[in-house]
Amino acid sequence: MPTVKNLKPNTPWVELKTTQADWDAADPALLQNAIVQLHLIRTFEEEVLNLAGQKLINGPAHSSIGQEAGAVGSALPLVVADQINGSHRGHHQFLAKVFNGVNPDGFTIDGEFSDEVVDVLYRTMSEIAGLSDGYCKGRGGSMHLQWKEMGAMGTNAIVGGAVPFATGFAWSHKQAGTDNVAVTYFGDGASNIGSVLEAMNLAAAWDLPTLFFIENNQYAVSTNVFEATGEPRLSSRGIGFGIPAWRVDGQDTLAVYLATQQALEHMRSGKGPAIIEADTYRYFHQNGPFPGSAFGYRSKDEEAEWRERDPIQLLEAQLIRRKLATREQLDDLAARCVKANKDISARLTEADPDGKPGALRIRPQLWPSPDFIDVNIRGELPSLEGLTVKDTADFTEAELEKRKFVDVVADVMNRRMETNDKIVVMGEDVHKLSGGSRGATKNLADRFPDRTLGTPISEAGFTGLGGGIALDGRFYPVVELMYADFIWVAADQIFNQIAKARHMFGGEHPMAMLLRMKIGTTTGYGSQHSMDPAGIFATSVGFRIIAPSNALDYVGLINAAMQTGDPVAVLEHDADLYKTEQLAPKDLDFVLPFGKAAVRREGADVTVISYLSMVQRCLDAVEQAGVDGEVIDLRWLDKATFDWDTVGESIKKTNNVVIVEQGAQGTSYGGWVADEIQRRFFDYLDAPVARVMGGEASPSISKALEQAANANTPDIVAALNEIVKGN
């Protein structure tokens, strides 16, 4: 018979409850500050629901009425430099964090609301209504609230989507040598999401001061927490990752405050992350002004039971018991909070001249201009003054040397990390195997061990961590995905979070980072490691894209890309480029000009447009076909940095176009380019734009099927012959 030994977790998991002694010991100023914040937040949310009920809020209004104690209790011990982010239901957390920033001396029950506090209410309600005076200039609305300077780094509409970013904030705090922390708020629904668990694992593995604050309000829309998981005590997640966890009554502001104090002491002393689960309840449905019982998924009796434990009533009872406030004072406070928020609402609305009597509308002058819609999707390209700007033709033979392409990839990042101590490189195995799986990070771990981070296999987790570092702004993350196909594993973090962060939060804050990825076509790695992601990035919002076809370009493009304040997708070809020997620059500090394509061969018969390893195939095909083709290497692939001047000049000369790419039809890059060419240059075309690309199927591991799936030189020759010679 086997022996059986009961195992014990290596980390504490406790339930914290307040006692009468805790309430008696609580600082009167703390309790007064808390009750004012609870009332301000409650009445603010009630006014938001009032506006939503009149159809004056475009989109959802996810109220946190009933959950205020978790926000106020957890935010009170924080300082401005501590950072928070949260979920779609985040008005209360945003307000609590910002109130403490603009009103550091705290509120008193009888005190007047300062102009700064009123402005917070005004700008927050403006943002929820989608108005230009909002913190994100109306782009964020109810679900995307950010005031970065106050440590409120952004609420988020994707359930669990913000959590990995918080580990990036925490990494930045730790790397900068501060004792500040990051708090990420999310609900019971997000507790089951993979990226949340990946973030917990990363925070634990790297001892990052991240507080995972779970607002367990019992329902993910209408699905009860007991239906969604086998362990409804969600703080138990901590045991699996070695993270200490506290479970508290989320209606008890003081209990949340005391638990947060203990968690902060743990994190500020360098011991890594913590979890707090606040057991709470939202009084209303997922969004809007109706209770959940109106939709049949919970009972009126259940709702009444929770309302009997209302956080405001619980705190008020203690204030009265301790003779820190009278009933009259508290009623007056509630009335003043109602009036303050009604006054804000009145600043946003006016009588609707076309509506029924008493109907309101948003004041027209408060709407953002429609011209603002595409402003600051990316940042403005910076000046390159003071840098060495060179292009291919500027190099002499003496300035070049034969190098393997992948060694140049490693060399230029070594050089950048040597000259800039803010750069951090992360990815799977980047710190091992003599520079990762292909040697692209050679020597980095030896030279910069604290800034070369080998990650777990958790693409969503570490990509999101890199995004958080970028949003924080103190460091420059370089995130490596081992293969381009893995963008799908990290898709939410790449496309919903990193790519949209600048624009949806108002466009003012940079998101500077590199996302390097290896394209595995012709390596025999099959369907899940062979994707060309250019089309995906080009047709999504927010990224710049560089696609170097040679070692010299790699250096100049990387250096230029890192001057921007934007996320940049770096496409690197494995078999067709990494292993080749090419002329490379000895100078690793020069930059190529922004948005400048390279004409690799001049010609008069047809314009051939391509990128990466297909550029050389195009040059070969032009010679084999015997046509006078002009071959353009795009280098910059994103819409904002595309070189339409060079492309247009060539088309006006040749009157024919062939777009060449290696990848599959379904994720093709050339589709949008062809469409744009026909819009811009239709009158100059003698024939429809021709396209050469891979097949519909992803490449298979069989060498014969792999060759059939990808576009090759003979395919380009055939296209050239057809468009130029008509055969």
Side-chain angles (χ1 to χ4, degrees), residues 400-446:
L400 302 172
E401 60 184 348
K402 276 272 191 168
R403 299 295 309 281
K404 188 179 286 188
F405 188 105
V406 74
D407 290 340
V408 176
V409 172
D411 288 348
V412 72
M413 193 52 62
N414 268 273
R415 177 61 178 159
R416 296 284 66 78
M417 294 182 79
E418 177 184 286
T419 59
N420 184 351
D421 63 5
K422 303 303 182 185
I423 296 171
V424 53
V425 172
M426 68 189 74
E428 294 156 6
D429 296 309
V430 296
H431 63 320
K432 297 285 182 71
L433 303 175
S434 298
S437 62
R438 292 294 188 272
T441 53
K442 188 185 300 182
N443 299 324
L444 297 187
D446 293 335

Side-chain angles (χ1 to χ4, degrees), residues 268-309:
R268 294 199 200 280
S269 62
K271 296 178 181 177
I275 292 174
I276 291 178
E277 176 192 6
D279 208 31
T280 186
Y281 201 76
R282 56 172 165 83
Y283 292 170
F284 291 90
H285 179 51
Q286 167 74 353
N287 76 81
F290 302 103
S293 57
F295 298 86
Y297 62 85
R298 61 190 192 194
S299 69
K300 292 183 178 180
D301 288 343
E302 177 185 308
E303 292 172 342
E305 288 175 8
W306 278 93
R307 281 184 177 268
E308 288 175 3
R309 298 184 54 256

Side-chain angles (χ1 to χ4, degrees), residues 56 345-353 358-365:
L56 296 174
S345 180
R347 290 170 61 182
L348 304 184
T349 59
E350 65 182 17
D352 184 353
L360 298 176
R361 70 176 184 182
I362 297 292
R363 295 179 187 271
Q365 67 269 26

Side-chain angles (χ1 to χ4, degrees), residues 236-358:
S236 66
R237 301 291 192 271
I239 295 173
F241 298 108
I243 303 175
W246 286 257
R247 191 166 192 260
V248 299
D249 178 0
Q251 308 302 88
D252 183 339
T253 308
L254 183 60
V256 176
Y257 175 81
L258 294 173
T260 305
Q261 278 192 317
Q262 293 181 16
L264 289 173
E265 182 180 357
H266 169 85
M267 292 187 291
R268 294 199 200 280
S269 62
K271 296 178 181 177
I275 292 174
I276 291 178
E277 176 192 6
D279 208 31
T280 186
Y281 201 76
R282 56 172 165 83
Y283 292 170
F284 291 90
H285 179 51
Q286 167 74 353
N287 76 81
F290 302 103
S293 57
F295 298 86
Y297 62 85
R298 61 190 192 194
S299 69
K300 292 183 178 180
D301 288 343
E302 177 185 308
E303 292 172 342
E305 288 175 8
W306 278 93
R307 281 184 177 268
E308 288 175 3
R309 298 184 54 256
D310 184 86
I312 292 178
Q313 294 176 9
L314 289 175
L315 182 51
E316 286 186 339
Q318 294 293 342
L319 287 163
I320 292 171
R321 182 188 66 80
R322 287 190 57 188
K323 296 183 170 52
L324 299 176
T326 65
R327 182 71 267 165
E328 291 75 16
Q329 283 179 301
L330 293 170
D331 289 345
D332 178 67
L333 169 65
R336 288 190 294 114
C337 290
V338 168
K339 182 178 185 305
N341 283 296
K342 289 287 185 185
D343 289 347
I344 297 299
S345 180
R347 290 170 61 182
L348 304 184
T349 59
E350 65 182 17
D352 184 353
D354 300 320
K356 296 179 180 178

